[in-house]
Amino acid sequence: MTILHLADGRSLEYLVAGPEDGTPLVLHNGTPSAALLFTPMVEAAARHGLRMVVYSRPGYGRSSPLPGRRVAAVADDVTAVLDDLGADRFVTAGWSGGGPHALACAALLPVRCAAATSVAGVAPRAAEGLDWLDGMGAENVEEFGAAAAGEGPLTSYLDTQVPGLAEVRAGEVAAALGDLVSDVDRRALTAEFAEYTAALFRAAVSGGAAGWRDDDLAFVTDWGFDLNAVKSPVSVWQGGEDRMVPFAHGRWLARRIPGASVHLEPGEGHLSLMLNAFDAIVAELAAYLD
């Protein structure tokens, strides 16, 4: 684990694994999450000559909070990590709540970002023509209802959720996610993937709900960049059996992002898509470096 000390006084933690001469693949994990590596993903990246980089967004793990941050703030943090690594170019993938952050890199770091992928990524809250909550599980409807009501109601809601995730174990993840887990995702939550998911949640809330809160507030307000400004090549992956980020979000992004490569997978869920398609996702990103 590397702890960066930023010019604004914050700390930012990140992890790196894979070939030292590989182009960085910056993975933006979901909400809530933190810097944690999943060995099969690291191996998939390495097969395509990429070096996996994961980091904790502000307020998660040992990264200092940045209250009021917008999604666009990720560009400065990713720049700091890349500079620390001595890397000029990178590719990026964002899963779930990480999706908007990958898109921000494509829009705001076009010179360095060779390609970006949104995997089961959420669309903007004000997306025209999208019923944003439709198809989400009951827990997300409640959570984002609290986020729309403001910082106070959201903090109160998340404070009730943190204790359960702080102690969650692999065999308890599906139950903890409740209505957010489709049948295909429930089947994906086995063996090392369930262990990884549980560890990701525990790490995410190890310091409380600050990162989770600020992620949610960033999602339901202006992201700080225009999707029409995306210049780097972008691909959109979305599963039809996703109860965390509904299929309609992926379709909306696919229509709105200029020139997007689109992979709409009717039989995949939120978790199963990342587990089953990650090698193909990485291969597509790596192809833009040739």
Side-chain angles (χ1 to χ4, degrees):
M1 181 74 72
T2 297
I3 306 293
L4 273 181
H5 299 287
L6 305 178
D8 62 4
R10 291 186 295 120
S11 297
L12 186 73
E13 67 174 4
Y14 74 91
L15 283 169
V16 181
E20 291 190 6
D21 60 347
T23 298
L25 163 56
V26 178
L27 176 63
H28 310 266
N29 265 319
T31 301
S33 68
L36 196 68
L37 292 164
F38 184 46
T39 299
M41 291 181 184
V42 173
E43 292 171 346
R47 283 195 295 273
H48 297 284
L50 301 177
R51 189 180 186 194
M52 181 72 82
V53 180
V54 294
Y55 71 104
S56 294
R57 288 191 292 278
Y60 287 125
R62 288 186 284 175
S63 291
S64 305
L66 183 61
R69 62 177 163 90
R70 295 196 289 179
V71 173
V74 69
D76 288 340
D77 286 352
V78 167
T79 296
V81 171
L82 294 173
D83 288 349
D84 198 53
L85 292 172
D88 293 327
R89 298 182 77 206
F90 74 108
V91 293
T92 188
W95 178 23
S96 188
H101 296 88
L103 296 177
C105 290
L108 301 174
L109 302 174
V111 174
R112 296 179 88 162
C113 183
T117 298
S118 171
V119 187
V122 66
R125 181 66 178 86
E128 184 179 355
L130 176 66
D131 185 344
W132 203 75
L133 293 175
D134 186 44
M136 285 190 186
E139 289 84 354
N140 268 11
V141 172
E142 185 176 6
E143 179 178 333
F144 285 116
E151 181 176 342
L154 177 61
T155 300
S156 295
Y157 172 79
L158 294 179
D159 283 346
T160 68
Q161 306 302 307
V162 164
L165 288 190
E167 302 294 335
V168 72
R169 299 297 161 184
E172 303 164 340
V173 172
L177 291 173
D179 192 45
L180 297 174
V181 183
S182 62
D183 288 343
V184 67
D185 278 338
R186 197 175 301 276
R187 291 193 295 270
L189 279 169
T190 59
E192 59 183 336
F193 188 60
E195 294 282 357
Y196 166 72
T197 304
L200 197 63
F201 286 153
R202 294 195 301 271
V205 300
S206 60
W212 193 355
R213 175 201 65 210
D214 293 340
D215 263 2
D216 281 355
L217 292 173
F219 297 146
V220 300
T221 54
D222 182 81
W223 287 1
F225 68 96
D226 188 342
L227 286 175
N228 291 322
V230 171
K231 302 300 181 186
S232 303
V234 169
S235 57
V236 175
W237 292 74
Q238 182 69 45
E241 297 296 321
D242 192 333
R243 294 189 55 76
M244 298 187 204
V245 179
F247 197 55
H249 284 237
R251 289 186 300 190
W252 190 93
L253 289 170
R255 290 196 300 266
R256 296 306 197 281
I257 299 173
S261 172
V262 181
H263 306 269
L264 301 179
E265 306 291 334
E268 295 289 2
H270 192 82
L271 305 175
S272 70
L273 178 65
M274 192 66 163
L275 187 63
N276 296 332
F278 191 72
D279 192 84
I281 290 165
V282 172
E284 185 174 38
L285 287 170
Y288 287 108
L289 295 169
D290 294 340

